[in-house]
Amino acid sequence: MTTENTTPRRWLRRAGAPRLEFGADYNPEQWPREVWAADVRAMRAAGVTIVSLAIFSWARIQPRPEVYDFAWLDEVIDLLHAGGIAVDLATATASPPPWLTTRHPEILPVDLHGNTVWPGGRQHWRPTSPVFRAHALRLVRALASRYGKHPALAAWHVNNELGCHNVYDYSDDAANAFRAWLRDRYSTLDRLNEAWGTDFWSQRYSDWDQILPPRQAATHPNPTRNLDFKRFSSDALKDHLRAERDLLRELTPDVPVTTNFMVMGQMNPMNYADWAAEVDFVANDHYVLPGPQARDELSFSANLTGNIAGGQPWFLMEHSTSAVNWQPVNVAKKPGELHRDSLTHVAHGADAVCFFQWRQSRAGAEKYHSAMVPHAGEDSALFRSVVALGERLASLSEVAGSGRVPADVAILFDWESWWVAENDSHPTDRLRYRQEALDWYTALLNLGIRADVVPVGSSWERYRLVIAPILHVVPAALAARLTAHAQENHLVTTYFSGIVDEHDQIWLGGYPGALRDLLGIRIEEFGPLLDGESADLDNGTTGTLWTDRVDVTDPAVEILARYKTGEQAERAAITRRAVGAGSAAYVSTRLGPDGLTAVLPRLLEAAGVTSELPSALRGRVELARRGDHRFLINRTSEPVDLGPDGILEPRAVKIL
Ligand code: GAL
């Protein structure tokens, strides 16, 4: 097995040997000047190497339309530089200042009910507003001209978490831009009418100007318009990213440009697989979501980020030292979790471990959000843990620059299937695309099997086993790729896969249309389950959420499990069709992590995939590999005996 390309496309502009960077968002404007020098001293004590600066500083940098105030920022950047700390300088366009929204209320987004999204929070700007764009680019130009040559400047940080709050805008600007985007995609109205199926409910358009974003409608809106609006909204923000990036590249060609993605949880509006090529290196923000799979979800997100980055190192721009402030109940991290979370990101390719934020705010909406320096100050367990993390990262510089070692198993990840499968007016509104993918990932971890979570558009042909959970949107070309793959290798897919084409139109003739022949099955009707209902299988597992009325149509299909109870009793529940030297398997219900852990061994065996871990460690330890390094991550709260490699403390990570 070879290591993926180990040369980053482009990394920070800074001198010195490769190392794992360590730092945070730094918001000095929230503090009096006297604190700044103390901050830099404490950063040095903690081993901080880089900070992201000026993310929300627009109102300070440009207090009035014609007035710029760089004095404070000059001072902060010089102080940081004198302390040997590099700067990832934000373009400061994330939160427009009050003078701008007062003078130009037409930049404010409009929600689907037609209400204005007022200032008072942040990100109150329309991605498609030409007025906002002009003001933002003016600010970008001013910053690039002033700081482009500053020796502390290591990278540009475009805006911040593009689309975190303003991705879906239903304003007239959005309507105009949506129409232009649609003209580009379809060229003619006839093609659009065909793709959207507008003969349904008399929706046929006779003029482009009749097309609107999916504003609040009387009932279920046209699903293909929904899909195109999601594609368009992701593209509109990508367009903003490109506009800032292009100007930065023109003015400061030697400074790399990035922006922080949000590969985490249910955050699905931005198709990051499609954005990755726009940045010089991928950066991600990740926050742990409470729940039984919290740790695995972090690993899953880091893994996907690493594969979005093409296996090359990426930058963890934000995570938290402890509690956040935006969940219903915000719990502190348990001992060990800060280090384990950070090092799990490193295990999956992060060459920088940064936090939101350096010093915990005293005022504002995020004052209860943890930081590297808590309200209690430097004399605190949290700060001591931060210092220890800085030391650990400094000792791991030989990891920096190494690429991910690909696994034998891939889980395909598809933003369009995520968008469409969770649309309304479907057989069930309970289906959760990412949860199903995560369940497979957890099951593989339970068995000690390394897997890569890879975007469906990337090259996954080398994987011996490809798992495609709820791969709902399958255009003809993708069906052909999957079919070719299963000739030599092994494919597993699940319920509600292969159902529609790229226009969200059904593949006819029985489900799962696009994959029916490949799987050798035919489904006339879906059998979604009500809350609390379940269906037992004859292999001892239990399905929830969904069942299918499966008919086996090809004698080459082996029935791996049948339904024992419920409407589908006696019918096939899990099937596998031998195809050439490979196979194509189908799982027709939601088995959850435990059920999948029980079912996977047969599928892995057929693909010839075995665990790289000794049996005593499987399930308790996650293995990740970068270059020659093996990361052993304790998934449990108990010590694990690694034999000759010693004891792996609870929630700890060992790097061999
Ligand atoms: C991110 C954001 C940061 C901070 C953080 C809190 O969404 O980029 O500015 O708000 O969340 O968790």
Side-chain angles (χ1 to χ4, degrees), residues 560-573:
L560 301 185
R562 287 181 188 274
Y563 287 103
K564 216 166 68 176
T565 62
E567 290 300 312
Q568 322 299 345
E570 307 300 328
R571 283 184 184 273

PDB file of all heavy atoms in Angstrom, residues 560-573:
ATOM      1  N   LEU A 560     -28.252 -13.278   2.150  1.00  0.00           N
ATOM      2  CA  LEU A 560     -27.404 -13.336   3.349  1.00  0.00           C
ATOM      3  C   LEU A 560     -28.246 -13.280   4.619  1.00  0.00           C
ATOM      4  O   LEU A 560     -27.823 -13.767   5.660  1.00  0.00           O
ATOM      5  CB  LEU A 560     -26.382 -12.202   3.356  1.00  0.00           C
ATOM      6  CG  LEU A 560     -25.403 -12.151   2.171  1.00  0.00           C
ATOM      7  CD1 LEU A 560     -24.380 -11.037   2.379  1.00  0.00           C
ATOM      8  CD2 LEU A 560     -24.690 -13.476   1.975  1.00  0.00           C
ATOM      9  N   ALA A 561     -29.406 -12.649   4.537  1.00  0.00           N
ATOM     10  CA  ALA A 561     -30.322 -12.636   5.690  1.00  0.00           C
ATOM     11  C   ALA A 561     -31.730 -12.385   5.182  1.00  0.00           C
ATOM     12  O   ALA A 561     -31.927 -11.693   4.175  1.00  0.00           O
ATOM     13  CB  ALA A 561     -29.911 -11.558   6.686  1.00  0.00           C
ATOM     14  N   ARG A 562     -32.693 -12.976   5.910  1.00  0.00           N
ATOM     15  CA  ARG A 562     -34.107 -12.767   5.570  1.00  0.00           C
ATOM     16  C   ARG A 562     -34.803 -12.060   6.716  1.00  0.00           C
ATOM     17  O   ARG A 562     -34.358 -12.142   7.857  1.00  0.00           O
ATOM     18  CB  ARG A 562     -34.818 -14.113   5.359  1.00  0.00           C
ATOM     19  CG  ARG A 562     -34.458 -14.818   4.106  1.00  0.00           C
ATOM     20  CD  ARG A 562     -35.238 -16.138   3.992  1.00  0.00           C
ATOM     21  NE  ARG A 562     -34.758 -16.903   2.868  1.00  0.00           N
ATOM     22  CZ  ARG A 562     -35.201 -16.739   1.610  1.00  0.00           C
ATOM     23  NH1 ARG A 562     -36.163 -15.867   1.349  1.00  0.00           N
ATOM     24  NH2 ARG A 562     -34.703 -17.463   0.633  1.00  0.00           N
ATOM     25  N   TYR A 563     -35.916 -11.421   6.406  1.00  0.00           N
ATOM     26  CA  TYR A 563     -36.754 -10.873   7.468  1.00  0.00           C
ATOM     27  C   TYR A 563     -37.464 -12.028   8.173  1.00  0.00           C
ATOM     28  O   TYR A 563     -37.915 -12.988   7.535  1.00  0.00           O
ATOM     29  CB  TYR A 563     -37.785  -9.898   6.898  1.00  0.00           C
ATOM     30  CG  TYR A 563     -37.171  -8.585   6.468  1.00  0.00           C
ATOM     31  CD1 TYR A 563     -36.941  -8.302   5.118  1.00  0.00           C
ATOM     32  CD2 TYR A 563     -36.810  -7.635   7.414  1.00  0.00           C
ATOM     33  CE1 TYR A 563     -36.368  -7.107   4.721  1.00  0.00           C
ATOM     34  CE2 TYR A 563     -36.231  -6.429   7.031  1.00  0.00           C
ATOM     35  CZ  TYR A 563     -36.019  -6.169   5.679  1.00  0.00           C
ATOM     36  OH  TYR A 563     -35.442  -4.982   5.307  1.00  0.00           O
ATOM     37  N   LYS A 564     -37.531 -11.907   9.476  1.00  0.00           N
ATOM     38  CA  LYS A 564     -38.201 -12.943  10.261  1.00  0.00           C
ATOM     39  C   LYS A 564     -39.570 -12.453  10.728  1.00  0.00           C
ATOM     40  O   LYS A 564     -40.501 -13.227  10.902  1.00  0.00           O
ATOM     41  CB  LYS A 564     -37.331 -13.259  11.492  1.00  0.00           C
ATOM     42  CG  LYS A 564     -37.328 -14.694  11.909  1.00  0.00           C
ATOM     43  CD  LYS A 564     -36.203 -15.004  12.889  1.00  0.00           C
ATOM     44  CE  LYS A 564     -36.429 -14.333  14.230  1.00  0.00           C
ATOM     45  NZ  LYS A 564     -35.390 -14.701  15.211  1.00  0.00           N
ATOM     46  N   THR A 565     -39.669 -11.157  10.957  1.00  0.00           N
ATOM     47  CA  THR A 565     -40.938 -10.589  11.429  1.00  0.00           C
ATOM     48  C   THR A 565     -41.335  -9.401  10.548  1.00  0.00           C
ATOM     49  O   THR A 565     -40.543  -8.911   9.751  1.00  0.00           O
ATOM     50  CB  THR A 565     -40.809 -10.082  12.881  1.00  0.00           C
ATOM     51  OG1 THR A 565     -39.833  -9.028  12.908  1.00  0.00           O
ATOM     52  CG2 THR A 565     -40.391 -11.181  13.835  1.00  0.00           C
ATOM     53  N   GLY A 566     -42.554  -8.958  10.740  1.00  0.00           N
ATOM     54  CA  GLY A 566     -43.022  -7.761  10.041  1.00  0.00           C
ATOM     55  C   GLY A 566     -43.587  -8.071   8.664  1.00  0.00           C
ATOM     56  O   GLY A 566     -43.704  -9.235   8.260  1.00  0.00           O
ATOM     57  N   GLU A 567     -43.917  -7.026   7.947  1.00  0.00           N
ATOM     58  CA  GLU A 567     -44.570  -7.151   6.635  1.00  0.00           C
ATOM     59  C   GLU A 567     -43.731  -7.917   5.623  1.00  0.00           C
ATOM     60  O   GLU A 567     -44.251  -8.504   4.691  1.00  0.00           O
ATOM     61  CB  GLU A 567     -44.873  -5.750   6.075  1.00  0.00           C
ATOM     62  CG  GLU A 567     -45.959  -4.988   6.802  1.00  0.00           C
ATOM     63  CD  GLU A 567     -47.285  -5.742   6.759  1.00  0.00           C
ATOM     64  OE1 GLU A 567     -47.682  -6.197   5.671  1.00  0.00           O
ATOM     65  OE2 GLU A 567     -47.908  -5.872   7.826  1.00  0.00           O
ATOM     66  N   GLN A 568     -42.408  -7.859   5.771  1.00  0.00           N
ATOM     67  CA  GLN A 568     -41.542  -8.498   4.762  1.00  0.00           C
ATOM     68  C   GLN A 568     -41.105  -9.899   5.199  1.00  0.00           C
ATOM     69  O   GLN A 568     -40.209 -10.466   4.575  1.00  0.00           O
ATOM     70  CB  GLN A 568     -40.283  -7.649   4.495  1.00  0.00           C
ATOM     71  CG  GLN A 568     -40.468  -6.155   4.481  1.00  0.00           C
ATOM     72  CD  GLN A 568     -41.415  -5.674   3.410  1.00  0.00           C
ATOM     73  OE1 GLN A 568     -41.749  -6.412   2.474  1.00  0.00           O
ATOM     74  NE2 GLN A 568     -41.894  -4.444   3.550  1.00  0.00           N
ATOM     75  N   ALA A 569     -41.702 -10.426   6.263  1.00  0.00           N
ATOM     76  CA  ALA A 569     -41.257 -11.733   6.784  1.00  0.00           C
ATOM     77  C   ALA A 569     -41.098 -12.739   5.643  1.00  0.00           C
ATOM     78  O   ALA A 569     -41.936 -12.814   4.745  1.00  0.00           O
ATOM     79  CB  ALA A 569     -42.256 -12.242   7.823  1.00  0.00           C
ATOM     80  N   GLU A 570     -40.025 -13.485   5.681  1.00  0.00           N
ATOM     81  CA  GLU A 570     -39.630 -14.498   4.685  1.00  0.00           C
ATOM     82  C   GLU A 570     -38.887 -13.898   3.487  1.00  0.00           C
ATOM     83  O   GLU A 570     -38.234 -14.606   2.737  1.00  0.00           O
ATOM     84  CB  GLU A 570     -40.824 -15.328   4.142  1.00  0.00           C
ATOM     85  CG  GLU A 570     -41.692 -15.985   5.192  1.00  0.00           C
ATOM     86  CD  GLU A 570     -40.908 -16.945   6.067  1.00  0.00           C
ATOM     87  OE1 GLU A 570     -39.953 -17.561   5.571  1.00  0.00           O
ATOM     88  OE2 GLU A 570     -41.235 -17.036   7.274  1.00  0.00           O
ATOM     89  N   ARG A 571     -39.024 -12.601   3.296  1.00  0.00           N
ATOM     90  CA  ARG A 571     -38.340 -12.012   2.133  1.00  0.00           C
ATOM     91  C   ARG A 571     -36.867 -11.746   2.446  1.00  0.00           C
ATOM     92  O   ARG A 571     -36.473 -11.648   3.600  1.00  0.00           O
ATOM     93  CB  ARG A 571     -38.981 -10.678   1.747  1.00  0.00           C
ATOM     94  CG  ARG A 571     -40.253 -10.818   1.020  1.00  0.00           C
ATOM     95  CD  ARG A 571     -40.770  -9.465   0.595  1.00  0.00           C
ATOM     96  NE  ARG A 571     -42.056  -9.635  -0.023  1.00  0.00           N
ATOM     97  CZ  ARG A 571     -42.227  -9.909  -1.316  1.00  0.00           C
ATOM     98  NH1 ARG A 571     -41.203 -10.002  -2.130  1.00  0.00           N
ATOM     99  NH2 ARG A 571     -43.434 -10.074  -1.801  1.00  0.00           N
ATOM    100  N   ALA A 572     -36.121 -11.537   1.361  1.00  0.00           N
ATOM    101  CA  ALA A 572     -34.701 -11.218   1.514  1.00  0.00           C
ATOM    102  C   ALA A 572     -34.538  -9.847   2.165  1.00  0.00           C
ATOM    103  O   ALA A 572     -35.234  -8.896   1.808  1.00  0.00           O
ATOM    104  CB  ALA A 572     -34.026 -11.214   0.152  1.00  0.00           C
ATOM    105  N   ALA A 573     -33.608  -9.767   3.109  1.00  0.00           N
ATOM    106  CA  ALA A 573     -33.298  -8.478   3.756  1.00  0.00           C
ATOM    107  C   ALA A 573     -31.910  -7.995   3.347  1.00  0.00           C
ATOM    108  O   ALA A 573     -31.686  -6.803   3.149  1.00  0.00           O
ATOM    109  CB  ALA A 573     -33.362  -8.627   5.277  1.00  0.00           C
TER     110      ALA A 573
END
